[in-house]
């Protein structure tokens, strides 16, 4: 299965890392993870919000964080288009989530040249 088949129609603004095969690998791992409805989930470096959207679709309360404004906007747009609730924050993960606890922490940082 290609990533596009898994989450078709994702908006990826210029400068935002486009999901690749590794994103699908993480999405598949998330699908096998026990995740109760209402679980507190955070995605660090959300990019398009692809993985955060997967968690939200399973009923989790998702906070997505990114340091890039285009990524924050893309994740918000993708959540809105799918009618999935995401709390998308701009800035440093540690500063933006200080004092909060999460049941699951997700991250798929870009590791290839853009």
């Amino acid at each position: 299965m290609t990533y596009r088949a898994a989450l078709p129609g994702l908006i990826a603004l210029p400068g935002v890392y486009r999901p690749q095969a590794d994103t699908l690998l993480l999405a598949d791992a998330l699908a096998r993870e026990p995740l109760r409805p209402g679980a507190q989930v955070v995605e660090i470096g959300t990019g398009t919000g692809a993985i955060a959207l997967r968690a939200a679709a399973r009923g989790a309360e998702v906070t997505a964080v990114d340091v890039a404004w285009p990524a924050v906007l893309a994740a918000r747009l993708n959540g809105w288009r799918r009618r999935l609730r995401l709390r998308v924050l701009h800035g440093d993960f540690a500063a933006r989530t200080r004092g909060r606890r999460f049941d699951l922490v997700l991250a798929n940082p870009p590791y290839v040249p853009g």
Side-chain angles (χ1 to χ4, degrees):
M1 173 191 319
T2 66
Y3 182 79
R4 290 191 185 275
L7 264 175
L10 268 181
I11 293 171
L13 299 174
V16 178
Y17 183 78
R18 293 184 179 276
Q20 297 184 27
D22 58 321
T23 307
L24 183 56
L25 182 66
L26 183 55
D28 289 343
L30 176 59
R32 291 188 303 273
E33 186 69 24
L35 191 64
R36 64 173 171 71
Q40 296 295 308
V41 174
V42 64
E43 184 186 16
I44 303 167
T46 196
T48 61
I51 300 302
L53 291 167
R54 280 291 182 98
R58 292 188 53 199
E61 293 185 24
V62 181
T63 299
V65 185
D66 207 294
V67 296
W69 275 113
V72 169
L73 180 56
R76 287 178 179 167
L77 287 170
N78 286 321
W80 177 78
R81 290 179 73 212
R82 286 167 180 73
R83 296 187 173 132
L84 292 171
R85 186 174 178 184
L86 295 179
R87 179 178 186 212
V88 186
L89 305 174
H90 174 258
D92 174 72
F93 154 74
R96 295 299 309 213
T97 60
R98 184 169 289 125
R100 294 201 49 208
R101 297 180 80 107
F102 297 96
D103 299 306
L104 182 63
V105 177
L106 301 165
N108 184 25
Y111 56 90
V112 294

